[in-house]
Amino acid sequence: MDRRDFLMASALAAATAAAKGVAAPEPPSIEGVRWAKAPCRFCGTGCHVQVGTKGGKVVAIAGDPKAEVNKGLLCVKGYHVGLALYGKDRLTTPLLRKNGKLTPISWDEAIQKVVERIQLDPKGFAIYGSGQWTIPEGYAANKLVKAALRNNQIDPNARLCMASAVTGFLATYGVDEPAGCYDDLDRCDVLVLWGNNPAEMHPVLFSRVIDRRSRGEKVTIIDIGTRRTRSTGHADHYLEMKPHGDVAIANGILHLLVQRGTYDKEFVERHTAFRAPANPPTLEGAPISFDEFKRRIAEYTPEKVSRLSGISEQDLRLLADLFGNKKLRITSLWCMGMNQHTLGTAINCLVHGVHLFSGHFGRPGDAPTSLTGQPSACGTAREVGTLCHALPGGGVVTNPEHRQHAEAIWNLAAGSVNPKPGYHTVELWKRFSKPKSQGGDIHTIWSMVTNPGQSLPNRNALFDPSRKDPSKFLIVSDVYPTETVRAADLVLPSALWVEKNGMFGNSERRTQQWFKMVPPPGQARDDCWQLLAVARALHEAGFAGTRDKDGQYLFRIVKDGKEVPVWDWRHYYDVNVDEQLFEEYRKFSRAKHKDLAPYQEYVKARGLRWPVVQQANGTWRETRFRFAEFDDPYVAKGKGFDFYHSTSKDGRAQIWFHPYAPPPEVPDAEYPLWLCTGRVLEHWHTGSLTRRIPQLHGAMPAAYVEVHPEDAQRLGVSQGERVVVESRRGKLVVPVWINGRGAPPVGTLFIPFFDETMLVNRVTLEAHDPFSKQPDYKKCAARLRKATAQELTG
Amino acid sequence: MPVSALVLTLSPDPAEVLCRLSSRSNLHLGELIGDRLPITLESPDVRSAAREIEALAEESGVSHVDLIGAYYEEDL
């Protein structure tokens, strides 16, 4: 058998084991190839892959059969994740804009330039990151801003992605992140997709449900959406709603459960309380009685809900029938459809409320579960707290006890942590876009592991103006020349994925770890090193904030009793910096019962779901289902359920009433169409990685606008014709796709945002939810017209 | 040439699609397990692998494609 035959036989053996649903053999033993585990670099599902390396390169990827998340399977992106490292245009040297041109400089010069910008005015220096930061990277950035600079000017692009899920969890349970986990997908009888397309965005999770069906199990899929997607193709019922219709639908279900008396009376009485918006509005709202709740929900009759939402009364009754049937197990999934919504907090609370009110909560298969788009949106943005108002472990800067806790762990003098939140993402970039004389008090943003030039809404207002103001300075750490890099003043080349150590936290509270496997190209270096190098340079320049209350350096890394100079790249890997930062960070995790295990436990596992608690025999046990006695170690025996961070301080979860309100911008005579934006299977977010993977780029080479055939006919545009889509904020030229992959209804357009050559975020609006501050990318008013000759060539 | 390891979920009455798939020289078929068929796919280069997988998903008689592994050392 030659080498190739051996490889083919090994690959077929792996596929056969997966088809049998049994643990596959180890990855194929190929001469010279070393295999090691890592979570996939892309979405928030958190699949584990086996990474095959040889000669300093990733040469093979296999699904990890030992991983509970994906059980050896991968989606088309995960399968090609190794190739994300090998685009031809990797950034390999620091670059500084001189006379308008990005020019190579040394790392020492680059680090000093960052320090100069901080020293110019520390209050006006901000870090903008993402859920692609590893946990230690995010922790280092957060500590640099909140313990050293003390201005709280840090926010992640997760603000654009899942902030409404956070506020929904906080308002309902008093603490963030889902109670359930992916195991629910293996047990549910009904799967409700609320504006969600997991067949494309989280395909491995969706395949768990499809696999159950192929084994003969009955799983009813309800797809509630504004456009038909690949998920619709698998649905038993497709309920097409108007934009914002989900708020009316959730209220309508609650109305029918009350009217029919089919809500779970015992669960509601023992474990829930009722809330409604307060005046002035607050995230915690105001308590109301059950009678008051019933009075308010009474107006959401099927007739009214049908009128507001566009779904039929019959379909609303179908949903109420399902939720009113306690014999069924129902899981709800959502992602951007409910989160990128100016009523994002409200609809998140309402869907939790539907589950709590109907008692479809706390049993395997009965769960309201939000999904995330980034690999560590939960682990880094939410748990490490890289949001402008947050502290690690679920704390907030406005809470004196949380600040004291942080000051104790960081060994800072009392009062060191600033109680004033920094600016949320939209406000941060607005302040960066304005001259200082007009309130633009942010002079420098250091963007890491994200691409705001493509992903911010209303780019013309939030991104472009600062690029014409010489007093504003944009630093970008990245791996490829993105839209943001091209506009930067200083570019720092970064290591990517298995070119560095890392940890991620996925959508189901699972913390994952991997080791560096291959070197980064050229002078590219770890983001965490970049942060520590800047911190040290600041320290050496005498910046007071880098010292703790005993005068010690805040980021001291010690091995065998001696400080390791990790700010010097030659010594960065003399010690496991990730482990040291993680061990410090995990001290924060117990305050909100998000307990993390020691770093070495994650080395052994394919991730562990928090809270991870040590048992009497010394082993560490993860938690699949929170708040439920049968699995959560923090629920006392006999209680059944305990929402131990309840905002009503009585162990109860909150069932909210939130009224329907129309979207902030609706089609009119001038802009008569709805525009929705989103993602596609082949590309991950702004496409900066996946568009450099030939297979994925070849499969989906360019953006498009999905148009209903009737609209196309009425507007006189044809398949493939390049047209103008424009709003009150901007426009783009994009080819028409009629009867494409997705099918929008008459009057609606859809454009994916992965393509940097067709920037749909010049068109979107920055209106955002009042609590989460998350913008609505899913609905704005637009028009479509034929392009002029100049627009086609411009 | 890259090698891909895949599992196809086939629709009821798979005889016809099995016949079609088995005639392709770039596919190696394993044993059908229930409605799931393990296969390997050889592609001329990394660029064409995704297109071929997408085409398999669109194939009449194939209801779902799961991806298990990718081996592309020689193409880097």
Side-chain angles (χ1 to χ4, degrees):
Chain A
M1 182 183 283
D2 67 15
R3 186 175 172 281
R4 180 145 203 88
D5 289 339
F6 179 75
L7 179 58
M8 296 289 286
S10 299
L12 193 58
T16 302
K20 286 179 177 170
V22 298
E26 295 296 317
S29 174
I30 308 169
E31 188 184 353
V33 175
R34 288 187 59 188
W35 293 90
K37 62 148 186 159
C40 177
R41 174 60 178 74
F42 294 124
C43 77
T45 300
C47 297
H48 259 94
V49 296
Q50 282 286 326
V51 184
T53 58
K54 183 179 178 183
K57 284 203 159 190
V58 174
V59 297
I61 293 291
D64 191 335
K66 292 178 183 166
E68 286 178 78
V69 171
N70 52 310
K71 300 176 169 71
L73 304 181
L74 293 174
C75 76
V76 70
K77 289 189 290 292
Y79 178 73
H80 294 111
V81 61
L83 293 170
L85 307 179
Y86 303 117
K88 304 295 181 203
D89 53 351
R90 277 292 295 267
L91 297 168
T92 56
T93 185
L95 303 166
L96 179 66
R97 192 169 296 280
K98 294 178 181 172
N99 300 321
K101 194 177 170 193
L102 286 169
T103 309
I105 58 168
S106 71
W107 266 111
D108 285 348
E109 288 175 279
I111 297 297
Q112 282 307 321
K113 192 72 196 170
V114 180
V115 169
E116 269 175 37
R117 294 303 299 186
I118 294 173
Q119 288 176 316
L120 181 70
D121 172 15
K123 286 183 193 159
F125 184 94
I127 294 183
Y128 182 67
S130 83
Q132 298 168 68
W133 259 331
T134 68
I135 289 169
E137 287 165 358
Y139 181 71
N142 210 16
K143 188 174 174 183
L144 178 62
V145 168
K146 288 170 184 158
L149 303 186
R150 302 180 187 175
N151 66 5
N152 295 337
Q153 297 299 1
I154 180 170
D155 217 40
N157 78 343
R159 177 77 70 181
L160 311 175
C161 169
M162 35 90 300
S164 299
V166 176
T167 47
F169 283 113
L170 291 173
T172 303
Y173 308 103
V175 64
D176 186 22
E177 298 200 38
C181 61
Y182 299 158
D183 300 30
D184 293 310
L185 298 170
D186 303 331
R187 297 292 301 278
C188 64
D189 303 302
V190 179
L191 182 66
V192 185
L193 308 176
W194 295 82
N196 187 211
N197 178 16
E200 284 198 77
M201 306 318 151
H202 300 88
V204 168
L205 293 183
F206 197 63
S207 78
R208 280 166 82 146
V209 177
I210 299 306
D211 285 352
R212 287 180 60 201
R213 281 179 159 183
S214 74
R215 293 195 299 269
E217 294 183 47
K218 179 171 166 52
V219 186
T220 302
I221 298 177
I222 313 278
D223 179 21
I224 306 171
T226 58
R227 115 187 202 273
R228 287 177 179 272
T229 66
R230 280 197 171 174
S231 299
T232 315
H234 296 272
D236 299 276
H237 303 277
Y238 172 57
L239 281 52
E240 192 162 275
M241 65 170 188
K242 297 176 189 173
H244 267 209
D246 43 8
V247 174
I249 292 167
N251 277 320
I253 298 168
L254 291 165
H255 168 93
L256 286 171
L257 292 170
V258 169
Q259 190 194 49
R260 296 167 170 182
T262 50
Y263 61 94
D264 188 329
K265 297 177 184 67
E266 187 189 347
F267 187 89
V268 168
E269 195 167 300
R270 287 187 63 195
H271 303 298
T272 68
F274 292 89
R275 292 259 155 176
N279 188 15
T282 62
L283 183 58
E284 291 192 352
I288 57 172
S289 67
F290 185 27
D291 285 341
E292 177 62 15
F293 176 79
K294 286 192 283 190
R295 191 187 68 73
R296 295 194 189 198
I297 210 75
E299 69 175 279
Y300 288 90
T301 61
E303 298 79 11
K304 177 171 176 168
V305 169
S306 179
R307 195 170 63 249
L308 292 175
S309 72
I311 73 166
S312 70
E313 293 179 34
Q314 187 184 359
D315 282 340
L316 181 65
R317 290 195 169 90
L318 165 74
L319 289 168
D321 290 344
L322 294 170
F323 277 102
N325 183 351
K326 277 291 286 179
K327 290 179 184 165
L328 296 173
R329 299 202 176 200
I330 305 178
T331 292
S332 285
L333 290 182
W334 68 94
C335 198
M336 295 306 110
M338 270 177 39
N339 294 344
Q340 293 178 336
H341 195 308
T342 50
L343 296 178
T345 304
I347 182 59
N348 271 265
C349 289
L350 285 166
V351 171
H352 290 300
V354 166
H355 276 264
L356 292 164
F357 196 57
S358 62
H360 286 288
F361 184 91
R363 296 183 303 176
D366 267 333
T369 297
S370 70
L371 299 173
T372 54
Q374 298 184 88
S376 200
C378 285
T380 305
R382 293 159 78 162
E383 292 157 29
V384 172
T386 58
L387 296 139
C388 63
H389 65 283
L391 286 167
V396 290
V397 298
T398 50
N399 183 313
E401 287 177 24
H402 298 173
R403 293 198 303 275
Q404 284 169 16
H405 186 223
E407 286 159 359
I409 291 172
W410 289 334
N411 195 35
L412 297 174
S416 296
V417 175
N418 189 336
K420 187 181 170 194
Y423 298 130
H424 61 81
T425 293
V426 170
E427 188 63 25
L428 179 73
W429 287 92
K430 268 187 186 166
R431 300 267 179 165
F432 188 55
S433 296
K434 284 183 193 170
K436 191 172 183 182
S437 60
Q438 294 171 25
D441 53 356
I442 297 295
H443 61 77
T444 301
I445 293 181
W446 183 1
S447 170
M448 306 185 87
V449 288
T450 187
N451 185 9
Q454 192 169 339
S455 59
L456 284 171
N458 194 4
R459 172 183 159 144
N460 295 346
L462 295 186
F463 188 78
D464 291 344
S466 75
R467 305 300 73 224
K468 297 163 194 158
D469 181 344
S471 72
K472 307 285 181 172
F473 196 81
L474 179 62
I475 304 164
V476 183
S477 295
D478 212 326
V479 297
Y480 287 114
T482 63
E483 273 295 287
T484 313
V485 166
R486 281 189 280 275
D489 297 294
L490 175 65
V491 177
L492 307 178
S494 293
L496 175 63
W497 193 44
V498 296
E499 294 168 351
K500 59 187 179 183
N501 289 341
M503 300 183 85
F504 282 158
N506 81 347
S507 293
E508 57 162 356
R509 298 174 279 108
R510 184 184 293 272
T511 309
Q512 304 157 303
Q513 177 276 347
W514 76 93
F515 286 121
K516 176 177 178 172
M517 301 174 201
V518 292
Q523 296 181 57
R525 295 181 184 177
D526 301 29
D527 291 293
C528 197
W529 174 82
Q530 296 175 26
L531 288 156
L532 296 183
V534 166
R536 184 67 188 190
L538 261 184
H539 181 70
E540 290 177 357
F543 190 83
T546 59
R547 288 172 174 76
D548 67 13
K549 66 182 181 186
D550 299 322
Q552 290 268 25
Y553 176 47
L554 267 185
F555 290 93
R556 202 160 177 261
I557 301 280
V558 175
K559 185 181 178 186
D560 301 330
K562 288 185 183 170
E563 183 168 15
V564 183
V566 294
W567 55 87
D568 179 341
W569 177 243
R570 291 167 299 180
H571 294 288
Y572 185 70
Y573 276 94
D574 287 358
V575 60
N576 187 340
V577 172
D578 271 26
E579 180 169 13
Q580 297 233 0
L581 290 172
F582 183 78
E583 289 299 331
E584 181 181 299
Y585 155 59
R586 82 183 185 92
K587 293 175 191 166
F588 284 91
S589 66
R590 288 164 214 137
K592 292 278 186 182
H593 300 90
K594 300 183 176 190
D595 311 35
L596 297 168
Y599 178 89
Q600 290 299 330
E601 293 300 312
Y602 298 100
V603 173
K604 294 183 273 185
R606 265 49 170 188
L608 294 168
R609 288 166 283 194
W610 57 259
V612 190
V613 296
Q614 193 166 28
Q615 303 185 101
N617 64 4
T619 59
W620 294 83
R621 176 190 179 277
E622 66 169 355
T623 302
R624 293 173 303 150
F625 303 96
R626 290 161 87 200
F627 311 130
E629 177 189 330
F630 78 92
D631 196 50
D632 188 333
Y634 287 113
V635 177
K637 295 297 168 208
K639 276 199 158 184
F641 293 90
D642 186 359
F643 298 98
Y644 38 75
H645 288 288
S646 164
T647 56
S648 49
K649 315 288 184 201
D650 55 2
R652 291 169 182 267
Q654 312 302 313
I655 296 174
W656 278 79
F657 169 76
H658 271 292
Y660 171 86
E665 184 180 75
V666 298
D668 55 18
E670 203 178 352
Y671 295 94
L673 301 167
W674 285 111
L675 171 65
C676 178
T677 71
R679 298 170 285 176
V680 295
L681 171 67
E682 293 82 356
H683 290 292
W684 191 69
H685 291 193
T686 61
S688 60
L689 299 177
T690 47
R691 290 186 85 232
R692 288 173 169 86
I693 298 175
Q695 296 92 322
L696 300 177
H697 182 54
M700 182 58 78
Y704 50 83
V705 54
E706 289 176 359
V707 184
H708 190 279
E710 288 180 27
D711 286 329
Q713 189 177 30
R714 182 174 53 80
L715 295 164
V717 297
S718 54
Q719 186 80 288
E721 180 179 345
R722 293 173 68 223
V723 298
V724 170
V725 174
E726 59 190 345
S727 72
R728 291 181 175 85
R729 294 157 292 280
K731 67 180 181 180
L732 79 160
V733 177
V734 61
V736 167
W737 197 3
I738 302 164
N739 296 320
R741 180 179 289 179
V746 172
T748 296
L749 310 173
F750 173 85
I751 303 178
F753 71 94
F754 70 86
D755 189 344
E756 66 182 8
T757 68
M758 290 179 248
L759 293 173
V760 70
N761 281 321
R762 291 195 184 282
V763 180
T764 51
L765 81 171
E766 74 270 31
H768 49 270
D769 177 87
F771 302 107
S772 70
K773 316 298 184 190
Q774 180 167 352
D776 190 333
Y777 292 84
K778 296 296 184 187
K779 53 192 94 75
C780 71
R783 65 186 172 210
L784 184 152
R785 62 170 170 78
K786 283 185 169 289
T788 64
Q790 191 179 9
E791 285 168 329
L792 287 173
T793 54
Chain B
M1 285 169 63
V3 175
S4 308
L6 310 165
V7 175
L8 310 184
T9 302
L10 305 183
S11 305
D13 303 323
E16 189 189 327
V17 68
L18 278 172
C19 183
R20 261 186 281 125
L21 295 174
S22 61
S23 67
R24 296 189 194 169
S25 59
N26 62 340
L27 298 181
H28 295 258
L29 275 51
E31 184 185 341
L32 186 63
I33 300 158
D35 60 356
R36 310 188 81 194
L37 180 69
I39 68 167
T40 59
L41 163 70
E42 283 188 286
S43 310
D45 54 56
V46 290
R47 205 168 274 279
S48 53
R51 276 198 300 273
E52 290 173 296
I53 293 166
E54 183 80 5
L56 280 169
E58 302 292 327
E59 186 87 33
S60 167
V62 175
S63 62
H64 191 69
V65 177
D66 282 312
L67 313 174
I68 311 300
Y71 311 91
Y72 40 74
E73 175 189 353
E74 293 157 14
D75 292 272
L76 286 178

